[in-house]
Amino acid sequence: MIVARQRKAETFPSKLDHYAIITTGKISAAAQLAVQTINQEHEGSGLFAVELLAWEKITNLLRQYPDIEQQFYGSLRGEEISQMNAKLDYLATLSESAASASPANEPKSVKPLDPYSTVPPQPPNYIVRSEVYEPIIQDLLSTTSNVALTALEGMGGVGKTMVALGVCSDERIRQAFPDGIVWLTIGKQADMPLEKRIEYVAKALNSDFREYTEATYRTLMKDKAVLIVLDDVWTPGAIGPFRLYAGRSRLLYTTRDKTLSSLGDNKHEIGIVDEEHARCFLAHWSGREAKAPPEPYASHILSECQGLVLGLALIGSTLRGQPDSEWAHVVSDLKKARLKNIVRPISSQAYNTLHGCIALSVNALEREPRKRYLKLAVLLEDMSAPEKLLQCIWGEDEGEVHRTARLFVDRSLATRDAEDNIRLHDFQLDYIRGEHPKPAVLALAHSALLRSIHVIRSHPGQFTSQMSGRLLAHI
């Protein structure tokens, strides 16, 4: 078929430079060899190049143009795409079997799915973080409890999904779970019914499925060694059905919510990377391993990212192949908190912008906590906020302030310092500043706070009186 298509293309009235053959199925080794042979012949005669595009490559190309992806596919994410891949591969095997089958009275065999086919591919510039993977791998290999759960928790953009991908790609894990690894992306707006999720698991394991009950799930997992991965979990209900006793099988899930990570037998907090690793990440993603990233721009980017892996990856991929002058433009955007301007997508990455990643966590809050979080826009960069100060900013009593601060920490929207004060990452602060309805008013508040910071740090309860006095002149 490929040769026939190539010969037909050679008869086109206009000269071709490139000819793409697109398929929704997997590309066979024979097809790859045929294309390679054609390209060798064409190279010598000055004819067009031939390329095979499979569904996986098409989806990766699509993610490079988020506007088009959003227009045609909306909120379609990893789980749905993986399901489409699996179904298309299944249809392809049916087609191949029908084409090569013997007479109709003989049974037709269907090629089983790859038991690891639902695991998303690693991005092209993937970096191995063995110091993070190893403890997780050891937990998965050595856990002996009847309900074996391992949780990866951390703020949005810290790299939980990438760590889970690295674990799933480790050869020791694949050997320990020979019956398969099934990856399901849950997400905030998860609308797939439980029965469909279990059906998805069954099909990925080449097993029959009729209806879901605890008994049928136990039967499905009986005598199997399977690793189930739930990525981006937001509610306990997404975990519960998979906590059933499942023999040699294990469950790994990622979440931003510390209260959910406590459901696991083992939990690992995926934190920010140190400056040395952050510099390596930035150089790797920007393609500057051989030639050092330009200064002072690289140092400023590292300072702004504060070890956040998603920030380093997005900014680095944006600057890949770009001249030094472009680094200056990106630094300018960072200084002005223009998170929406950094939009180069990353293959297999659920969030195409820092802004979108942080917005998802903030918008998941109830109305009142969200209003309080947005009020933190008044804080200065690298400023810790004791609860006494938060009482002044929010106008709430001590108990309500403590509960709200704890909620923000649990949701990875803030961290606590050594003195138990809460603190926001610079990118989180940039986000809520960008959401403020009156930037000029916020700028005045920052100016007033800066002039009063020496008093407020020692006496946070004086925040209101200090700010009122400073702002009176502008009323």
Side-chain angles (χ1 to χ4, degrees):
M1 183 191 75
I2 291 174
V3 174
R5 295 288 183 183
Q6 166 235 338
R7 287 174 179 169
K8 184 175 180 180
E10 289 177 355
T11 66
F12 287 176
S14 301
K15 182 181 178 182
L16 296 178
D17 294 321
H18 195 91
Y19 184 66
I21 300 174
I22 301 175
T23 174
T24 55
K26 284 191 173 181
I27 298 173
S28 67
Q32 291 176 337
L33 181 60
V35 169
Q36 183 179 354
T37 303
I38 291 169
N39 282 332
Q40 288 174 349
E41 294 174 353
H42 280 200
E43 185 177 3
S45 55
L47 293 174
F48 55 84
V50 177
E51 180 182 11
L52 278 176
L53 287 175
W55 177 250
E56 181 181 311
K57 189 168 183 180
I58 295 169
T59 55
N60 288 339
L61 284 171
L62 185 63
R63 287 174 180 170
Q64 296 179 25
Y65 303 92
D67 292 342
I68 297 176
E69 181 182 24
Q70 180 64 30
Q71 179 183 351
F72 288 96
Y73 294 96
S75 59
L76 193 67
R77 291 189 54 203
E79 181 180 355
E80 290 89 344
I81 290 175
S82 294
Q83 283 184 285
M84 289 172 67
N85 287 339
K87 289 176 180 177
L88 289 167
D89 287 343
Y90 180 71
L91 289 172
T93 58
L94 284 175
S95 177
E96 290 171 5
S97 297
S100 59
S102 32
N105 59 347
E106 293 187 15
K108 300 176 181 179
S109 61
V110 178
K111 181 182 177 182
L113 296 177
D114 179 350
Y116 307 108
S117 63
T118 63
V119 180
Q122 293 177 345
N125 299 307
Y126 186 79
I127 298 178
V128 176
R129 299 174 66 184
S130 56
E131 77 284 355
V132 178
Y133 304 154
E134 198 59 35
I136 301 167
I137 290 171
Q138 292 306 317
D139 277 345
L140 289 171
L141 296 179
S142 63
T143 299
T144 56
S145 61
N146 287 347
V147 183
L149 293 88
T150 299
L152 309 183
E153 61 97 353
M155 68 178 286
V158 84
K160 301 180 295 296
T161 298
M162 293 297 103
V163 169
L165 278 176
V167 169
C168 291
S169 301
D170 190 278
E171 189 58 36
R172 291 168 295 172
I173 291 296
R174 302 226 166 178
Q175 289 178 3
F177 301 101
D179 293 308
I181 299 175
V182 184
W183 183 291
L184 296 98
T185 301
I186 306 301
K188 180 67 179 69
Q189 277 77 40
D191 57 0
M192 178 182 285
L194 172 61
E195 185 162 334
K196 287 294 183 183
R197 287 182 184 163
I198 302 301
E199 181 181 6
Y200 175 72
V201 172
K203 288 184 176 179
L205 299 176
N206 296 293
S207 299
D208 293 330
F209 176 83
R210 294 182 180 178
E211 61 179 357
Y212 168 73
T213 64
E214 289 191 11
T216 57
Y217 182 65
R218 290 177 188 273
T219 301
L220 172 65
M221 304 301 286
K222 185 180 179 182
D223 301 325
K224 288 187 176 70
V226 177
L227 175 62
I228 305 292
V229 182
L230 307 179
D231 186 35
D232 199 18
V233 172
W234 290 75
T235 64
I239 304 170
F242 297 95
R243 298 186 71 194
L244 300 174
Y245 173 73
R248 295 177 293 151
S249 296
R250 298 289 180 263
L251 172 63
L252 174 70
Y253 64 97
T254 72
T255 181
R256 304 180 185 203
D257 193 332
K258 287 182 170 63
T259 61
L260 293 183
S261 67
S262 64
L263 298 174
D265 296 324
N266 306 293
K267 62 179 180 179
H268 300 265
E269 181 173 1
I270 310 302
I272 60 176
V273 296
D274 59 32
E275 184 174 350
E276 180 182 353
H277 283 88
R279 192 171 289 276
C280 291
F281 269 52
L282 181 61
H284 183 80
W285 279 97
S286 63
R288 292 283 190 133
E289 294 98 333
K291 180 183 178 182
E295 293 291 356
Y297 311 121
S299 292
H300 185 87
I301 291 170
L302 294 174
S303 176
E304 288 288 330
C305 288
Q306 295 181 339
L308 187 65
V309 171
L310 179 61
L312 294 164
L314 284 169
I315 294 170
S317 64
T318 297
L319 292 169
R320 194 172 189 86
Q322 298 299 316
D324 292 0
S325 58
E326 187 62 27
W327 289 66
H329 292 312
V330 168
V331 167
S332 176
D333 285 339
L334 289 172
K335 286 181 177 179
K336 296 174 182 177
R338 294 172 177 165
L339 297 186
K340 293 181 181 179
N341 288 7
I342 305 172
V343 296
R344 180 74 63 82
I346 304 172
S347 175
S348 303
Q349 179 62 55
Y351 311 104
N352 284 338
T353 66
L354 290 165
H355 182 276
C357 177
I358 298 169
L360 195 66
S361 288
V362 176
N363 292 334
L365 294 169
E366 298 292 337
R367 183 172 179 272
E368 285 304 315
R370 183 176 183 275
K371 285 171 61 178
R372 291 171 196 160
Y373 192 73
L374 294 176
K375 284 183 178 181
L376 296 179
V378 72
L379 297 177
L380 303 175
E381 290 185 4
D382 301 320
M383 180 180 178
S384 295
E387 293 189 0
K388 198 74 173 176
L389 174 61
L390 297 177
Q391 284 182 252
C392 298
I393 295 174
W394 294 336
E396 301 290 347
D397 61 39
E398 182 179 352
E400 187 61 26
V401 164
H402 181 74
R403 284 189 290 273
T404 302
R406 184 176 61 193
L407 172 67
F408 293 163
V409 173
D410 285 345
R411 297 287 183 88
S412 298
L413 285 166
T415 57
R416 289 195 183 274
D417 63 15
E419 297 177 354
D420 213 29
N421 304 324
I422 72 165
R423 184 173 182 151
L424 274 60
H425 190 282
D426 277 359
F427 285 149
Q428 292 170 328
L429 194 57
D430 287 346
Y431 169 79
I432 58 177
R433 286 177 175 179
E435 295 295 295
H436 198 283
K438 297 180 179 179
V441 173
L442 183 60
L444 285 175
H446 287 153
S447 178
L449 180 55
L450 190 60
R451 290 197 295 271
S452 304
I453 194 65
H454 62 289
V455 176
I456 293 173
R457 276 186 176 146
S458 303
H459 307 283
Q462 293 188 22
F463 173 83
T464 303
S465 60
Q466 287 286 324
M467 294 293 284
S468 298
R470 300 284 184 184
L471 293 172
L472 277 176
H474 300 283
I475 296 176

